[in-house]
Amino acid sequence: MNPGAGWLRHVAEVVTKGTGEVERTADRAQVDVTFEALGAERSEAVSTLNQRISAIEPLLAEFEVRSRQLSAHDNWDNNQRVGSRASQQYVIWVKDLDRLDGLLAELVQAEPSWINGPSWTLVDDTEAIREAQREAVADALRRAEGYASALGRRLGPLLRIGDTEGGAHYQPRMMSGAASFEMAGPAGMVDQLNLKAQQITVSASCTAAWSLLD
C-alpha cells in the first residue's frame, strides 16, 4: 500500500473558474443568398431557376462557395396543388474584404429572393483562442490565490484543469456604425451601408483545482 495514498485522497483543494477574452478584427465575411423560381411543374421551376442563376455563376467562380443547396417542391393552397417552386441557396466566403461591396452589389442586381450578410469570422482563430485560454488560466489562478490568502493558507500545485461548458468560442461584437446586410433592393444602396469588418470577441473559460498548503 502506498503510504501517501491517504494524504492524496484528503488533500485540501480550492476549485476556481477563470475566463479570458481577446478581440480581433474579422478577416472573413460570409454572405448567404437564395434565388427562387416558380413553374407549373417542378421541372419547369428548376429550368427557370437555372436560367436565373446562370448569370451569377461566373461571378461566384471568383469566390469560395462553401455550399450550393437546391430545393424543389410543390405549392399547395387549400389542398389544391398550385404549381411548384425551386430554390438554390449559396453560402459564400469572402477573404478579400475589398471585394465585398462589389459582390453584394452584383448579387442584389441579380434580384435574389433573399440575401443576408455579411456575417463575420476569423480565417484562423488558433492564436486568439490560445491567448484567451492563457487569460482564463491567469484569471483562475488569481481567484485561487485570493481564496488561499483569505484562508491563511498557501496555494499549492495545480491538480487538474479543463474547459468549462462551452470551452472556447468567439462571436462578433456589435459596434456603433456596424451594419448587417439583409435586403433585396437597388444595388446602389449597398455603398451607402457601413460594411466594415467587425471586431470578433474570442473567449475561453476553464475550471481549475489547486491544492492548499499550510
Side-chain angles (χ1 to χ4, degrees):
M1 178 177 178
N2 184 348
W7 179 85
L8 289 174
R9 284 195 298 270
H10 297 92
V11 64
E13 65 179 48
V14 58
V15 179
T16 56
K17 293 182 178 180
T19 59
E21 288 187 352
V22 298
E23 288 190 350
R24 296 290 185 271
T25 302
D27 54 8
R28 179 171 61 199
Q30 177 174 313
V31 178
D32 301 283
V33 60
T34 300
F35 290 86
E36 294 182 325
L38 301 176
E41 304 289 341
R42 276 174 287 183
S43 60
E44 180 183 340
V46 171
S47 178
T48 303
L49 176 64
N50 284 333
Q51 295 175 18
R52 293 199 61 195
I53 65 177
S54 63
I56 69 157
E57 283 292 341
L59 168 66
L60 298 184
E62 302 177 13
F63 296 91
E64 184 176 356
V65 179
R66 296 296 295 177
S67 71
R68 290 175 172 84
Q69 185 173 356
L70 173 67
S71 173
H73 60 86
D74 293 331
N75 290 330
W76 296 86
D77 184 15
N78 294 326
N79 295 323
Q80 296 288 327
R81 183 178 170 281
V82 288
S84 300
R85 180 187 302 269
S87 64
Q88 180 144 310
Q89 180 180 0
Y90 297 88
V91 177
I92 308 163
W93 278 2
V94 182
K95 295 180 182 178
D96 183 355
L97 299 184
D98 290 337
R99 302 184 64 190
L100 179 60
D101 284 356
L103 170 65
L104 291 173
E106 293 201 47
L107 287 175
V108 172
Q109 188 69 35
E111 296 188 352
S113 299
W114 181 81
I115 182 170
N116 183 59
S119 54
W120 301 101
T121 60
L122 296 172
V123 172
D124 185 356
D125 61 4
T126 302
E127 181 275 333
I129 288 177
R130 287 179 178 173
E131 183 174 339
Q133 288 172 327
R134 287 193 292 269
E135 290 198 7
V137 172
D139 183 40
L141 176 58
R142 285 192 295 268
R143 293 172 185 270
E145 289 173 337
Y147 285 120
S149 176
L151 292 169
R153 307 281 290 272
R154 290 183 297 120
L155 192 66
L158 176 69
L159 300 176
R160 59 187 179 275
I161 189 170
D163 284 336
T164 59
E165 184 177 356
H169 64 280
Y170 62 93
Q171 62 183 5
R173 178 172 66 86
M174 296 305 296
M175 301 174 61
S176 177
S180 63
F181 180 84
E182 186 172 1
M183 57 175 279
M189 294 181 64
V190 173
D191 58 10
Q192 298 176 22
L193 300 177
N194 184 357
L195 299 178
K196 294 181 180 179
Q198 292 184 3
Q199 292 295 106
I200 300 291
T201 299
V202 182
S203 62
S205 57
C206 68
T207 300
W210 320 77
S211 61
L212 284 175
L213 306 178
D214 294 334

